[in-house]
Amino acid sequence: MLGRTTAGIPEDRHPVTHVADLDAREPRYADWPEWAPEAVVDGFHRQGVRRLWSHQAEAASLAWSGRNVVVATGTASGKSLAYQLPVLSTLSTEPKATALYLAPTKALGADQLRSVSAVEPEARAASQRVRAASYDGDTPQAERRWVRDHARWVFTNPDMLHKGILPAHGRWARFFRGLTHVVVDECHGYRGVFGSHVALLLRRLRRIARYYGADPVFVLASATTADPAAFAERLVGAECTAVVEDASPRGARTVALWEPPLLDELTGENGAPVRRSAGSEAARILAELVIEKARTLAFVRSRRGAELTALGAERILSETDPELRGLVAAYRAGYLPEERRELESALLSGRLLGVATTNALELGVDISGLDAVVLAGYPGTLASFWQQSGRAGRAGDDALVVFVARDDPLDTYLVHHPAALLDRPVEAAVLDPANPYVLAPHLACAAAERPLTVRELEAFGGDTARTVLDELVTDSVLRRRPSGWYWTERERPHHSVDLRGSGGDQVAVVEADTARLLGTVDGASACSTVHPGAVYLHRGSSYVVDDLDLDQGVALVHAQDPEWNTSAREVIDIAVLNTEHSTDHGGVTVNLGEVAVTSRVVGYLRRLPSGEVLDHVPLDLPEQVLRTRAVWYTVDEDLLCPPARGEPGGAGLEPARVPGALHAAEHAAIGLLPLFASCDRWDIGGVSTARHTDTGEATVFVHDGYPGGAGFADRGYSALRPWLAATREAVLACECPTGCPSCVQSPKCGNGNDPLDKAGAVAVLDIVLATLPEPGGDRDDAGHDDARHDEAAGDQAADDSAVSTR
């Protein structure tokens, strides 16, 4: 299949940089546990499950014995059975028992509900029926009361638990009294600020369950992740046992790393070379594989990208053979449930051979028997890379995986350093429930659910929680009484807390002609995503923003499908508020601490899908201030520039080159940090300056994009040397002469990627790396968690100006 995709490509433009063959794995089986009721086992037999894999039996038995457990095994390893078996066994033998299932998406919850319904044992008495039911935003109002009063296994998501169940826990008293198990599916997705919110939500859930006399067992399912037990304990707030030995069968896989060629006829910003887009390459590969009758998934980073990739593949197939039409489709969020089920059925049956999808098919929706997977761009984490790759060969058959690099520093690095992708252990999923910006609203919600007592503070962070509570009392949000902390308002605070947002009021996106609400964006990102002139995508349709009213919280749009897309440009300033850690390495100082980031959107670029820039449109929008965490390093002037007495400096840079060198080093570092932290480059920002006001020296900052921070900067600080070493290698590996999007250009640089000095960036990184200790040497480490933002930008004035990327 791989040979087919590269047939006819000249050797000097061959895109495959590396091919790896991964061995097959034989299954290891275990007997059904003696405690499992015969009726439950029969239910699994009816679905074709005759024997257990050993990790399923181990995890199920731990949960049955009352231990919290996290199952961290690969895609298609049967994690669902590991929690279905103990939960169904409990519900069928204890008439008053109940269970709760949490999924990050409604689609996954619906898929698991169908799976449970299929294996549900026949009950001798009505009281022993499982009565599994969904309770989410799609549940009709008429059914919700029945679910509260009668359902025994409720399938929901964190948002509904937060807004619909815990605030009304009195109505759910029957359910909470009998709660024996809580299933947290795909828990590796709960990272960063979203994960921190969910961690506090689960602590609130445990608190309410204890109020009704229940102490449920938590069963978590995760993709392979580093130290799953520690992560699960941080997420749940209780001790967890990890099951990590994957005993399921796996077919052999061929993994090919693919770098699209540079386009001779097109140039990007400042004349930089442009590569053929990953989406276009994925469309061609998908079409070639479909011609070979290979059932294939192509993972694309955006909804629009998935649609375009499917259309591109369909066009190639139609031109090759009209009878091949209709064998490729797109799959993404926004489709109706029946449309998604139809697509899944068509792919499984072979009526549909190729699907271009977002990560909507990464999670546990059961898609098996695929021959190939194409990844158009690195999905952000190694865990997601292997999760998506694992969709191929799910029936134990051999399979092909093709990773197509985007025009991006990290992707460029990975295709030229295959060990960083194929041999590294997956990263830890990180979160920080002690982040005061996240903790404060959850303490308010907890107090509104029932008054908080001193005994309960330990679960929410102890002294940190008490400090935050004191601030809430000072702000008259809560009232302190001898018995605890009380909510002071009539209206509960839950609806003002967005578990998935980054802070700020929501901005409604409204179609001006019809007054139809299309969606919402958080206030913190409104200026960069729904500014006047922005192209806004909703359910596959394109709209252009006419007006943004931040006071009213409304962005007015009209339907339009332009040939270009837009990306905001921001200028940024950064001030150091508090330095928590600082290490001097002789001319280079490395710091971690709190910063205030002041940003303003000053315009946007219009780009064609090829990457060609049409123009820059100026904007006049207000400033926004973000208090967050950052890692920064400073470099002594003598190390950068030749001293006045004529002796050569360490980097040998003339003063005029320093801003461009720092700027390029900053851009590249932002692109490579996701290799060491569970983040996307859009979750972080940065600033570089030849002389910063607070440090007095040449400085490069990289900051988290969430209020209060979420751990990306902490990860960068603790892994600074390998992070910057990888950054240097990525810049050197790029074949462009002076800088391009694959190495040092940023898609949202407020300075229009000017100045940028690629060679100067390497010189700066060489100097910094030369001063840092080798691994194992003395170093002041720090470690934490996760975030979200875009890449922003800064002003560069004559000498000491800041240059930034967000």
Side-chain angles (χ1 to χ4, degrees), residues 189-203:
Y190 298 125
R191 57 185 179 86
V193 168
F194 180 38
S196 303
H197 276 292
V198 173
L200 291 165
L201 176 66
L202 294 179
R203 285 157 174 75

Side-chain angles (χ1 to χ4, degrees), residues 99 104 113 175 184 189 255 284 290 335 340 346 365 371 471 486 489 529 555 654 702 733 764 770:
L113 177 57
F175 181 82
V184 185
V255 180
R284 193 182 69 77
V290 167
Y335 287 164
R340 292 197 299 268
V365 178
D371 302 301
E471 293 175 358
Y486 288 74
E489 304 293 332
T529 56
E654 295 297 331
V702 175
V764 168

Side-chain angles (χ1 to χ4, degrees), residues 270-317:
N270 301 322
V274 175
R275 293 190 183 278
R276 181 175 165 89
S277 74
S280 298
E281 290 286 85
R284 193 182 69 77
I285 297 169
L286 179 60
E288 296 287 359
L289 292 171
V290 167
I291 291 172
E292 291 296 299
K293 307 299 182 186
R295 281 190 284 181
T296 306
L297 280 184
F299 284 99
V300 189
R301 293 292 299 270
S302 69
R303 295 182 184 184
R304 182 183 180 89
E307 297 278 6
L308 292 175
T309 298
L311 288 171
E314 179 75 7
R315 183 177 62 254
I316 294 171
L317 292 172

Side-chain angles (χ1 to χ4, degrees), residues 109-443:
D111 185 74
Q112 285 301 302
L113 177 57
R114 284 191 299 274
S115 175
V116 165
S117 300
V119 300
E120 182 178 339
E122 297 180 4
R124 298 173 185 172
S127 61
Q128 292 178 314
R129 292 175 185 164
V130 171
R131 295 198 295 273
S134 174
Y135 192 85
D136 58 30
D138 294 338
T139 305
Q141 290 292 335
E143 295 180 15
R144 295 189 181 189
R145 181 171 181 177
W146 183 93
V147 175
R148 285 197 304 267
D149 294 343
H150 302 289
R152 299 183 61 212
W153 195 349
V154 173
F155 287 70
T156 188
N157 52 61
D159 310 85
M160 198 65 174
L161 175 64
H162 166 65
K163 293 182 178 180
I165 296 178
L166 290 181
H169 61 82
R171 300 180 182 179
W172 291 81
R174 172 204 65 89
F175 181 82
F176 280 115
R177 287 193 190 100
L179 188 60
T180 61
H181 291 85
V182 176
V183 176
V184 185
D185 207 353
E186 303 290 356
C187 69
H188 61 280
Y190 298 125
R191 57 185 179 86
V193 168
F194 180 38
S196 303
H197 276 292
V198 173
L200 291 165
L201 176 66
L202 294 179
R203 285 157 174 75
R204 287 165 44 207
L205 169 64
R206 293 178 62 221
R207 174 176 177 257
I208 293 299
R210 285 195 296 268
Y211 174 69
Y212 289 98
D215 187 16
V217 171
F218 281 78
V219 187
L220 300 92
S222 172
T224 305
T225 184
D227 201 355
F231 168 68
E233 288 173 11
R234 198 172 181 89
L235 183 65
V236 173
E239 183 178 352
C240 288
T241 301
V243 174
V244 297
E245 292 294 330
D246 194 335
S248 62
R250 185 184 67 195
R253 278 181 286 176
T254 295
V255 180
L257 308 187
W258 183 298
E259 184 176 41
L262 290 170
L263 298 174
D264 298 328
E265 65 276 13
L266 287 178
T267 58
E269 199 166 31
N270 301 322
V274 175
R275 293 190 183 278
R276 181 175 165 89
S277 74
S280 298
E281 290 286 85
R284 193 182 69 77
I285 297 169
L286 179 60
E288 296 287 359
L289 292 171
V290 167
I291 291 172
E292 291 296 299
K293 307 299 182 186
R295 281 190 284 181
T296 306
L297 280 184
F299 284 99
V300 189
R301 293 292 299 270
S302 69
R303 295 182 184 184
R304 182 183 180 89
E307 297 278 6
L308 292 175
T309 298
L311 288 171
E314 179 75 7
R315 183 177 62 254
I316 294 171
L317 292 172
S318 298
E319 293 171 354
T320 303
D321 184 350
E323 293 186 4
L324 296 176
R325 290 176 180 170
L327 295 180
V328 174
Y331 182 105
R332 55 171 176 76
Y335 287 164
L336 296 175
E338 54 269 24
E339 293 174 324
R340 292 197 299 268
R341 300 295 88 78
E342 181 183 350
L343 288 168
E344 293 162 12
S345 174
L347 183 60
L348 283 168
S349 66
R351 290 182 285 115
L352 196 62
L353 289 180
V355 170
T357 179
T358 60
N359 61 0
L361 284 180
E362 176 185 327
L363 300 180
V365 178
D366 186 20
I367 299 292
S368 59
L370 298 178
D371 302 301
V373 163
V374 181
L375 291 85
Y378 184 60
T381 65
L382 285 170
S384 288
F385 174 84
W386 291 115
Q387 186 84 347
Q388 293 180 3
S389 301
R391 288 302 193 191
R394 284 170 61 98
D397 296 329
D398 294 357
L400 171 67
V401 176
V402 181
F403 166 58
V404 183
R406 290 181 302 155
D407 210 357
D408 174 89
L410 178 55
D411 287 31
T412 300
Y413 177 84
L414 293 173
V415 293
H416 290 283
H417 297 80
L421 186 66
L422 304 177
D423 298 338
R424 282 177 63 239
V426 296
E427 58 277 288
V430 289
L431 50 92
D432 184 12
N435 181 339
Y437 289 85
V438 178
L439 180 57
H442 282 275
L443 289 175

